[in-house]
Amino acid sequence: MTVRFVESSKLPTPWGIFVMHGFCDEENLKEHVVLTMGDISGEEPLLARIHSECLTGDALFSMRCDCGPQLQAAMHKIALAGRGVIFYLRQEGRGIGLLNKIRAYHLQDQGADTVEANEQLGFGADMRDYSILKPMLEHLNIKALKLLTNNPRKVKALQDMGINVIERMPHQTGRNPHNAKYLETKKGKLGHLFNSEDDE
């Protein structure tokens, strides 16, 4: 894996000041960032979110998904805890890219669900590659994570790579009438764990 650290800087946000660490995947020239807050050294597990880029949700406030609210909620939770880490991975549309994601949205407009749309375009339901995390974790000397996710497959993928995920923390937020079918598909076809009482 050819992931190279580039530089770090402060990132003031509404939730507090994070440190932003830039990494470049020299294999495909994708740029990733890691946000940290507080003292991330030591053996005590860090509250963590692995967030795949979602331009539509994170920056354009789309209500078709729950990505933007999940990112903001993770930043808020980490600020409250005083320490933690967010890995912001450039894997738009569960790895299919922005323009293919728009194509998938078009198919969803015709009635396909999020998994069917990806498959109709010739992709798997989830094309993300989490192996890029290992060099980032090693560079930052992070030993163990308490992962904010509803996706047990993500936990298993990390554990299979030898990453020490000691706990899965439910991370439910952003449910609305426009993403109800999307969330049900994530639960029914992708194995995400949702509990209506956990909604924030």
Side-chain angles (χ1 to χ4, degrees), residues 56-77:
T56 49
D58 298 340
L60 301 179
F61 315 109
S62 169
M63 297 174 71
R64 295 185 74 134
C65 62
D66 55 346
C67 302
Q70 282 192 320
L71 177 60
Q72 294 182 38
M75 296 176 80
H76 181 60
K77 288 176 181 179

Side-chain angles (χ1 to χ4, degrees), residues 53 59 65 84 97 111 121 124 127 132 144 152 188 200:
E53 176 184 39
C65 62
L121 291 171
M127 305 288 289
I132 55 177
E200 296 164 4

Side-chain angles (χ1 to χ4, degrees), residues 1-5 22-26 32 34 87 89 129-142 161 163:
M1 181 56 61
T2 54
V3 175
R4 175 176 57 85
F5 169 71
F23 293 85
C24 180
D25 182 346
E26 296 182 324
H32 309 278
V34 181
F87 298 88
L89 307 181
D129 175 14
Y130 295 113
S131 63
I132 55 177
L133 288 166
K134 284 213 77 166
M136 299 179 195
L137 286 158
E138 288 166 3
H139 175 83
L140 295 168
N141 201 27
I142 294 172
M161 291 190 297
I163 296 171

Side-chain angles (χ1 to χ4, degrees), residues 30 52 90-97 100 118-119 121-132 153 190:
K30 284 192 176 178
S52 296
R90 306 292 298 281
Q91 302 195 110
E92 182 83 42
R94 293 199 299 275
I96 67 173
N100 283 321
N118 275 26
E119 291 173 344
L121 291 171
F123 298 107
D126 192 338
M127 305 288 289
R128 289 174 290 186
D129 175 14
Y130 295 113
S131 63
I132 55 177
R153 294 184 187 185
L190 298 175

Side-chain angles (χ1 to χ4, degrees), residues 6 15 34 47-48 53 65 71 82 88 95 123 153 155 164 177-178 189 199:
V6 179
W15 301 276
V34 181
L47 189 61
E53 176 184 39
C65 62
L71 177 60
Y88 194 89
F123 298 107
R153 294 184 187 185
V155 175
N164 188 13
H178 300 281
K189 293 190 175 181
D199 271 46

